[in-house]
Each structure stands twice: as C-alpha cells, then as structure tokens.
Amino acid sequence: MSDITVIIPVYNVENYLKKCVHSVEAQTYEDYEIILVDDGSTDNSASLCNELAENNKKIKVIHQDNKGLGGARNTGIRSCNTEYILFLDSDDYIHPRLLEQCIATAKANSCDMVLFDAVSVDESGLTGVVYSAPLPDNKILSEDEINIIPKNPTAWDKLYKTSLFKDNDIFFPEKVWYEDLRTIPKLILFAERIMKIKSEPMYYYLQRSNSIMHTPDYDRIVKERIAAINDLTDYFKQNNFYEKYLSVLDFITVYHAFLLPCLEMYRKAGNYKKYLNILLENLKKNVTEPLKNPYIGLLRKNEKAVLKLALKKRYFIIECLTVFNRLLKEVKNA
C-alpha cells in the first residue's frame, strides 16, 4: 500500500490537467497514488482522466455527478487507505520534491499535519505572491502558534494524516464557496503535532481570471463568507471548543468575513458599499472591539490601515489609496 494519496478534484480543466498530473508523476518520492475525481465535467476532462490512468497504474479515476470541490475531495478521502493525504487542485502543480519533503518531515516527527509554502503563478508561468504562514520552520508548533494557522485556511498547502478526517468525521461541505474556511479550522482542533517545513515554495497556485477569487458576485461573496463563519461557530459551540477559541474565531470573523472581502471589493470597485455595510453589521454583531483582538498583529500594515478605515466607513479614502497603489505599481513596472 502507498504512503500518500494525492487527491485531485477535476471539473472542466482539460487545458490544465496533464500538467497537474505530470507534476505528481515527476516526484522524487515514488510511493504515492493519485485519485482523480471527475466531478461531472462537461468538457473533455473525463476522458482525459481515463487516458492518464491507462498510462499509469498509480492513478485511480472516479467519475461522479457534480458535488462541487468539497464533494470531490470527500470522495477522494473516503476512497483512500493511505496514511497521508495531499490535495492538489487540477489547474495547479507541484515541485518535484514536495512529497519527499512532506513525508520525511511527517514520519520523522510523527506529524498530524505538515505545512509548506506556495506561490501564485500566471498562465505563462511567471511567479507572483508567495503564500507563507507566519510560523517558525522545522519545529513542532506550540498551541499559540497553531492558532495562527486559520489566517490561511487553504486545503492545498498542507499534508494531512488521513485519520484527521476519518476519525473525527470531518469532511468538506458540498457545493459551497470557501469550503476550506469551513473545514481546516475544525481539523486543526484535533491535530496535536503540526510542523512547517522550510523550503522554497513548492506548490504553484494558478491564478485564473474566471476563478471564485476573481468573481464580481458580491452578493454571493457576502452570503457565503458569513455562512462559513456561522458554520465554524456552530461547530465550535457544539463540540465545546467555543470558549477556549473565542479570540481565534473572532479573528477569523474579522479577517475572512470582513477584511478580505473588503479588499477584494475595493480592487474590483463597482457598487460595493451596501455589501460592505452588511459585512460591517455582521462584524459588529459578533465581535466586540475587533482592533483589540490578540491576533490583529498578524495583519500587514496596509491591512491594518484598511481595517481601521473600513470600520469607520471611510470607503472613499480606501478607494483613493487603492488607485494610488495601482498607479504606483504601473509606474514601477513601466
């Protein structure tokens, strides 16, 4: 039996899937399996999955009706029997040494979870933003350090023990946005040994113009982000974690259900003010004195400045700063 399953949800990615799968096949660590979950694709992705599996016995293909990214990941989790899981989105790709480094770290330190850095890439392969949790490298994280992880609750920059999901009956919600936000903080509650490896970014996160991150659907952004926070809060309450992790939940609310969508909307402009007011009303209802939260120090200077202005509804000032920063970048790149 293999050590690790790389779960790749597949939905209408015929132009990206081969590069994604080939990046796994090029790994220096060879004791792996790949599960391709075709989530009701309507393009050529389904037949491409079958073609890839025909050429590699390590690849297993599951075809299902569309259940969304979360539902596809769940199918992969339930179908694997390996000790570890890694999620790879089908338009992304990984460094050849990623599995080797993750498995070595996990086994040497009995880790439940291993974190690694990622970097954004455009369709030409040019790299951009580095995604790196502000955590010490190569040491078992303390409880205070673990509480920082929900700032970046993405599923694809972590290796997991499969038992974290199965033993605790934690799975991704289906057909929703921000399924990572609704799931990863729950897993962290049960992960006793977590480590972040020190290396160059080894996960390449493709920025596509038609992704959820670039959608102009403010109405759904607001509803889905608030729903995600409510999902987490209910889970923490039902499992008696709420009081202990109240400050963490408050920070998640401030960051993911207010600041991040604010920043997204400012960059896209348009008729966003009524949506910001909904988010602000939700924040004030659930979090008292957000600027005094102990995790606010995790914010960058510009994020903290935007948060302070947004809390006072100084939207015009933020708009001006956003335009100024955009022009400054254009001048520097000219």
Side-chain angles (χ1 to χ4, degrees):
M1 185 177 72
S2 302
D3 279 340
I4 178 173
T5 298
V6 180
I7 297 173
I8 306 178
V10 176
Y11 182 74
N12 291 356
V13 284
E14 60 181 348
N15 295 326
Y16 308 97
L17 184 58
K18 281 189 176 180
K19 183 173 185 177
C20 173
V21 172
H22 290 338
S23 74
V24 183
E25 294 175 322
Q27 292 296 299
T28 55
Y29 187 84
E30 299 181 350
D31 194 11
Y32 66 84
E33 69 171 8
I34 300 172
I35 296 182
L36 298 176
V37 183
D38 167 39
D39 193 42
S41 296
T42 57
D43 66 354
N44 193 46
S45 296
S47 58
L48 189 54
C49 286
N50 295 336
E51 177 187 323
L52 289 164
E54 287 174 2
N55 296 320
N56 187 346
K57 293 182 180 179
K58 294 183 178 182
I59 298 176
K60 176 181 179 181
V61 179
I62 301 173
H63 299 284
Q64 66 179 29
D65 292 336
N66 183 265
K67 296 181 180 179
L69 180 57
R73 285 177 178 160
N74 293 340
T75 296
I77 296 168
R78 293 187 172 105
S79 302
C80 76
N81 295 304
T82 53
E83 186 173 6
Y84 301 100
I85 288 173
L86 185 137
F87 299 109
L88 174 56
D89 286 357
S90 50
D91 48 2
D92 300 337
Y93 51 98
I94 55 178
H95 189 282
R97 294 197 308 275
L98 176 60
L99 296 189
E100 177 186 347
Q101 290 207 13
C102 284
I103 290 292
T105 299
K107 290 189 172 183
N109 299 280
S110 300
C111 292
D112 300 305
M113 191 182 293
V114 176
L115 282 62
F116 46 87
D117 289 348
V119 63
S120 66
V121 293
D122 62 21
E123 302 213 25
S124 66
L126 292 175
T127 58
V129 178
V130 173
Y131 297 86
S132 180
L135 295 164
D137 300 315
N138 299 334
K139 67 177 283 290
I140 297 297
L141 301 180
S142 67
E143 184 173 1
D144 285 343
E145 289 163 344
I146 289 173
N147 289 342
I148 293 172
I149 297 174
K151 184 176 186 287
N152 302 292
T154 45
W156 39 256
D157 61 350
K158 302 168 181 71
L159 176 81
Y160 309 86
K161 264 205 164 180
T162 308
S163 57
L164 271 180
F165 292 91
K166 294 186 176 182
D167 290 356
N168 299 297
D169 195 29
I170 296 174
F171 294 92
F172 294 92
E174 299 180 4
K175 293 189 175 181
V176 298
W177 289 0
Y178 313 115
E179 67 286 324
D180 294 1
L181 176 58
R182 298 169 185 248
T183 308
I184 304 306
K186 299 174 187 176
L187 285 178
I188 293 169
L189 295 170
F190 302 99
E192 296 179 358
R193 295 177 66 82
I194 303 177
M195 182 177 285
K196 178 176 178 286
I197 59 175
K198 183 176 183 178
S199 73
E200 62 186 293
M202 288 195 166
Y203 187 104
Y204 301 97
Y205 172 42
L206 181 65
Q207 299 291 290
R208 294 167 60 189
S209 59
N210 61 342
S211 72
I212 290 174
M213 292 298 293
H214 296 91
T215 180
D217 190 348
Y218 295 159
D219 186 63
R220 187 166 180 185
I221 286 174
V222 168
K223 289 178 180 177
E224 292 272 7
R225 283 195 178 273
I226 291 176
I229 298 303
N230 290 339
D231 181 327
L232 279 181
T233 301
D234 290 344
Y235 183 86
F236 276 60
K237 286 181 176 178
Q238 291 166 7
N239 292 276
N240 299 317
F241 291 115
Y242 182 73
E243 295 298 331
K244 181 177 180 180
Y245 294 102
L246 179 58
S247 59
V248 177
L249 284 169
D250 282 353
F251 178 74
I252 292 173
T253 303
V254 172
Y255 190 67
H256 290 283
F258 185 65
L259 180 58
L260 279 188
C262 281
L263 291 170
E264 291 171 15
M265 292 178 192
Y266 291 138
R267 295 187 188 110
K268 298 180 183 70
N271 183 24
Y272 61 82
K273 292 181 182 178
K274 72 172 184 178
Y275 296 106
L276 294 188
N277 289 334
I278 294 171
L279 290 169
L280 181 57
E281 182 180 342
N282 178 72
L283 178 66
K284 289 181 175 179
K285 183 175 69 175
N286 293 287
V287 181
T288 57
E289 300 186 295
L291 292 175
K292 292 185 178 180
N293 185 278
Y295 298 101
I296 287 297
L298 297 173
L299 301 182
R300 297 188 294 269
K301 287 184 179 179
N302 65 317
E303 290 177 328
K304 195 176 292 186
V306 169
L307 176 60
K308 290 179 178 178
L309 289 168
L311 288 171
K312 296 180 180 179
K313 297 187 178 183
R314 304 286 172 81
Y315 303 145
F316 179 72
I317 298 176
I318 300 172
E319 228 176 78
C320 292
L321 290 173
T322 303
V323 172
F324 175 78
N325 287 332
R326 188 183 301 126
L327 291 174
L328 190 63
K329 286 182 180 179
E330 290 176 359
V331 170
K332 286 182 178 180
N333 295 329

